[in-house]
Amino acid sequence: MNIAARLRDGSQETVANDGSGSEALEPGSQVLTPADRAGSAEAAQGVPGGSKVLTPADGAGMRPDSGFRVEKLRDGFRQAYGHEEKGPLRFFFAPGRVNLIGEHTDYTGGLVLPAALSNGTWAVVCERNDKVVHLVSEGFTPKVICDLTEEIVNTPEDGWANYPKGIIKAFLAMGAAIPGLDIYFYGDIPKGAGLSSSASLELVTAVALNTVTRAGWDRLSLVRLAQEAENGFVGVNCGIMDQFSVGLGREGAALLLNCATLAYRHIPLALGKYRLVIADSCKQRDLGESKYNERRRECEDGFRIIKRYRPELANLGELGLREWEEVKKYLPAPTADRVEHVVRENHRVLSSAAALEDGDVLTFGRLMLESHRSLRDLYEVTGPELDALYEAARKAPGCVGTRMTGAGFGGCTVSLVEEKSLTDFQKYVARDYEARTGLRPIFYPVSVGGGAREISPAGEGDQSDPNPEDSGEGGALFSGEDGGKRENKLRQTGTSGC
Ligand code: GLA
């Protein structure tokens, strides 16, 4: 059975939306405010403004499943719950994600190219037998208690814990037998930075519950369940990209996904002498306050008009460039600009995937620049800080591509930088960005890791294949009879020439 059919068969519940959730209520991430960051001891290592210069070696030894990490998690659990745990501990991890290209396309049924990070959220789980789940997150107090015999509701005071509560509620609705659990969460993704700390928290909870309850749901069902919990229980109207990449990411590869059909393919990230660098603008974004929902509505409005002329289209993601040129005259401003971004961004995603498969890093870098300009000028979701970071990065030593990543209005950029210039790049960007905005960026060297999974207590790597049902591989990225032809044509066309 194909993915779409399997998911249609699934019986996930959509829970009530009380609208009180917020991206700002993040989990056990290592949450630093710009002020915290500037004042921290590690923040001052030779870069103007106190930003830390990171080298590729900074990522080494930090694997999510390293023995060192597992021992720290065990200590954290013991501090949270007392030294004597009541039973064996199990350890789970779900990554954050960085979207390489394909921004604001997922909710229109378009294409995206994200990658999972080696940073993410860990959960340490111990069973209890009293039908009560205790949730503790490092750095967040107090403990949140969830009585499984009562109705689970979104409570604003529970903050970050509403994300795991939404997952617990969805599992109960599907008939899972949760015995009662002590869960300790620890995360190292900055909150509100556009790196999907919420999807990471959702998926780590989902994989843990799936394992301890032996529910046996496949990874795609967990991804769908997590997205529905965020939409329905937390109240954030996100697309499927974040949960999908967190659930199905693969080490060393990006994930090319058609968000309408859920067909996907892993694209090896052979970047040669280049590295991906994430820079946090330290301007926090908030999906609720942003224009995210307004953009979604504008795309829906645009598609409604386009449907009158192209009734065969199932979603905006199916609209090709040629068809767009024919119908764009029917759309009012600024709806036409929004749709133009979506159409061209989809082309850029396919061109990027083709370039990466060919080892053509420079073309991918050029497409990243085009993508940022389109998000700035047509989709209008960047804002002064991300634009300043973009301007600083594109002129910095060794940079061949840079763009905002995530929802926008603050958060991070991702840049493609020559390895030998990493230090100079960061120094240049920090100085230039601070001069433009008064803010100090934070840099993260990107290590592309695997999807959500259980990790072994001995720190010996994964206990199970994170993607046991990789059946989306090789599926058609475009639906419709000429889907294959369209993909091939796009591959030959190269860049979209925005
Ligand atoms: C947020 C949402 C995603 C996606 C991006 C924009 O991260 O959660 O679903 O829409 O914004 O590409």
Side-chain angles (χ1 to χ4, degrees), residues 97 99 102-107 238-242 287 292 406-407:
R97 68 98 187 92
N99 190 19
E103 215 66 83
H104 286 278
T105 50
D106 62 345
Y107 50 81
C238 62
I240 190 96
M241 169 175 73
D242 300 347
L287 280 185
Y292 188 86

Side-chain angles (χ1 to χ4, degrees), residues 37-38 40-53 430 434 440-442:
R37 287 157 171 162
S40 72
E42 64 179 14
Q45 294 190 10
V47 175
S51 302
K52 188 180 182 223
V53 170
E434 191 178 1
R440 296 165 179 178
I442 297 183

Side-chain angles (χ1 to χ4, degrees), residues 324-332:
W324 167 239
E325 292 300 332
E326 286 162 13
V327 296
K328 68 199 268 185
K329 56 178 175 286
Y330 302 115
L331 268 60

Side-chain angles (χ1 to χ4, degrees), residues 455-476:
I455 55 179
S456 124
E460 285 159 0
D462 304 356
Q463 283 196 329
S464 57
D465 181 351
N467 305 326
E469 297 191 39
D470 222 357
S471 52
E473 288 273 5

Side-chain angles (χ1 to χ4, degrees), residues 86-103:
K86 299 178 195 73
L89 301 185
R90 298 184 80 162
F91 300 80
F92 301 87
F93 172 76
R97 68 98 187 92
V98 58
N99 190 19
L100 300 181
I101 198 159
E103 215 66 83

